[in-house]
Amino acid sequence: MAPEPLAVLDAGPFDDVDPDAYVRAAMRWHFDPATGSRFWLDRAGRLAFDPRHDVKGVADLSLFPDLTDELRVVPVADLVPRGYGSGVRLVNVFDSGGTTGAPKRVIQLDDWVWHSTAHIDRRLRAHGLPVGAQWLTVAPTGPHLVGDVLQRAARSLGGPALSVDMDPRWVKKLIAAGREDEVESYTDHLVDQCRRILSTQTVGVLAATTPLLERFAREDDLLERINGSVRAIVWGGTHMDPDTRHLLATDVFPDSALIGMYGNTMMLTALLERVGLGPDEPCVFDPVSPYVFLSVVTPGTREPVGFGERGQVIVSHVSRSMLIPNNAERDTAVRVRPAEGQAGDAVADVAPVSVVEGDRVIEDVY
């Protein structure tokens, strides 16, 4: 088989490239001494296979061991592929939430910013989000990825984005220490900031987490302001169970489109709820070929579960700028057939596992 041209790695999210061909080209790029990062070139000899010859497509990403724990300590410069040369533009360094152990770091280069934004923009427009509307995003910002994703989404749709920052790590520490009164005070602080914005600005799109939406619903003045102007609500962060989703969509915010967003640092982007789902249907998230691939497996064996069955979510990110294969997330989900043209699994009813490596997973405002 002739080598795949590396130009395929510049493909946009809607260029309809073959995902297997894309993965093969990525293996050549990331494991060629002239173009790969120090991180992957240093680890190539520890692999029990040769990625440039043995990884022939998306399915073969499962050959990789999960090396994401090493992203907790690796120097950031070691993650940049050499093929970018001296003109590389490192836009951001993000890290995971640190729920179980030290955070894992990833990089965001400018080409990936373009691809991720283009994908999210197209999906939000398909959901009918208003163009030019003012956003209010209540989410963690740097070093967390989600705040950046939401700010870029607002800009791509031509709207100014007001924001309220949150610190989920601090809240998780408070919960773990049993300091619930301080958690309540911090949540009040977030709600007060949102109140100031909602009472003085016309907000057309609200992006917030499930716990904060539930808190807004208990505040009559905020509920009135949201139902008076907000046309779409993007929720993410913590999971939303089907009963809560139905209640929020039909009774609490009946005039706003309720759109789920599922993402994490290792994806380096976010997935938007499948278009056209009703409040009584499962909330489904499709993968993003050719960059983000999902699989739902039995923990321990990593064997795929059947469609309609729940298992652990495995995420692989493949792009010119980063390679993060076969990463076991701290989420479970129901395995669903993906939308046409997408490789891997879709997932529904995403929920966190309760324990990771002996540590209790804490959910809070995020």
Side-chain angles (χ1 to χ4, degrees):
M1 180 183 294
E4 303 294 338
L6 292 177
V8 72
L9 297 178
D10 296 321
F14 303 100
D15 288 345
D16 198 29
V17 301
D18 176 58
D20 290 333
Y22 186 93
V23 167
R24 290 193 294 270
M27 295 302 108
R28 288 183 55 217
W29 170 265
H30 286 288
F31 291 95
D32 186 320
T35 55
S37 67
R38 176 174 293 179
F39 176 83
W40 278 115
L41 295 176
D42 285 353
R43 284 153 183 79
R46 290 161 38 190
L47 301 175
F49 61 97
D50 183 343
R52 288 187 286 179
H53 292 95
D54 298 329
V55 177
K56 297 178 171 58
V58 176
D60 294 327
L61 293 172
S62 63
L63 293 172
F64 282 92
D66 185 350
L67 296 180
T68 54
D69 274 349
E70 299 184 26
L71 295 175
R72 302 181 196 276
V73 296
V74 63
V76 168
D78 287 3
L79 299 175
V80 180
R82 296 171 178 172
Y84 282 91
S86 59
V88 64
R89 183 164 178 257
L90 180 57
V91 177
N92 277 308
V93 178
F94 295 114
D95 63 43
S96 63
T99 302
T100 53
K104 306 169 187 177
R105 292 182 184 85
V106 299
I107 60 170
Q108 181 176 254
L109 305 185
D110 55 358
D111 56 344
W112 176 247
V113 171
W114 187 91
H115 291 320
S116 174
T117 304
H119 155 71
I120 293 170
D121 175 87
R122 176 82 69 93
R123 294 294 182 228
L124 290 174
R125 290 173 188 266
H127 275 286
L129 260 71
V131 175
Q134 187 160 246
W135 284 50
L136 168 57
T137 68
V138 194
T141 53
H144 301 277
L145 176 68
V146 62
D148 177 75
V149 167
L150 291 170
Q151 291 286 315
R152 286 191 282 112
R155 288 195 298 269
S156 73
L157 288 170
L162 300 166
S163 62
V164 172
D165 184 34
M166 64 168 63
D167 186 352
R169 292 179 184 164
W170 177 240
V171 176
K172 289 173 182 177
K173 274 192 168 186
L174 294 176
I175 293 173
R179 293 154 65 183
E180 299 291 344
D181 56 334
E182 294 184 54
V183 175
E184 190 66 19
S185 295
Y186 184 74
T187 306
D188 288 342
H189 172 62
L190 295 175
V191 172
D192 286 344
Q193 292 179 79
C194 294
R195 177 176 280 109
R196 292 191 186 97
I197 293 172
L198 289 165
S199 64
T200 60
Q201 305 292 320
T202 300
V203 173
V205 179
L206 171 64
T209 61
T210 305
L212 281 175
L213 291 177
E214 293 173 348
R215 178 61 178 271
F216 294 159
R218 303 202 306 265
E219 308 280 340
D220 290 342
D221 61 326
L222 294 182
L223 193 58
E224 181 179 357
R225 291 293 298 182
I226 292 170
N227 283 328
S229 68
V230 172
R231 300 279 68 87
I233 296 173
V234 180
W235 62 269
T238 52
H239 79 290
M240 185 182 292
D241 64 72
D243 289 342
T244 300
R245 178 168 169 263
H246 183 274
L247 179 65
L248 293 178
T250 59
D251 293 350
V252 181
F253 306 115
D255 297 322
S256 300
L258 193 66
I259 303 160
M261 184 177 77
Y262 171 48
N264 53 54
T265 306
M266 299 299 106
M267 282 187 198
L268 267 172
T269 190
L271 313 180
L272 276 301
E273 176 180 328
R274 184 179 290 181
V275 175
L277 299 175
D280 294 317
E281 297 179 270
C283 187
V284 177
F285 300 97
D286 287 298
V288 186
S289 295
Y291 316 117
V292 177
F293 306 106
L294 311 176
S295 55
V296 185
V297 303
T298 301
T301 68
R302 295 233 179 171
E303 289 297 318
V305 301
F307 289 109
E309 296 179 359
R310 181 170 291 276
Q312 185 174 16
V313 179
I314 306 296
V315 176
S316 291
H317 172 100
V318 183
S319 66
R320 185 186 286 272
S321 60
M322 280 214 76
L323 173 66
I324 311 175
N326 212 24
N327 165 53
E329 275 298 328
R330 61 177 183 89
D331 300 314
T332 68
V334 175
R335 186 185 182 206
V336 178
R337 296 187 189 278
E340 184 177 356
Q342 301 299 318
D345 292 334
V347 295
D349 292 337
V350 178
V353 298
S354 57
V355 176
V356 175
E357 297 178 356
D359 294 323
R360 179 169 66 96
V361 173
I362 298 173
E363 287 195 277
D364 51 89
V365 292
Y366 182 64

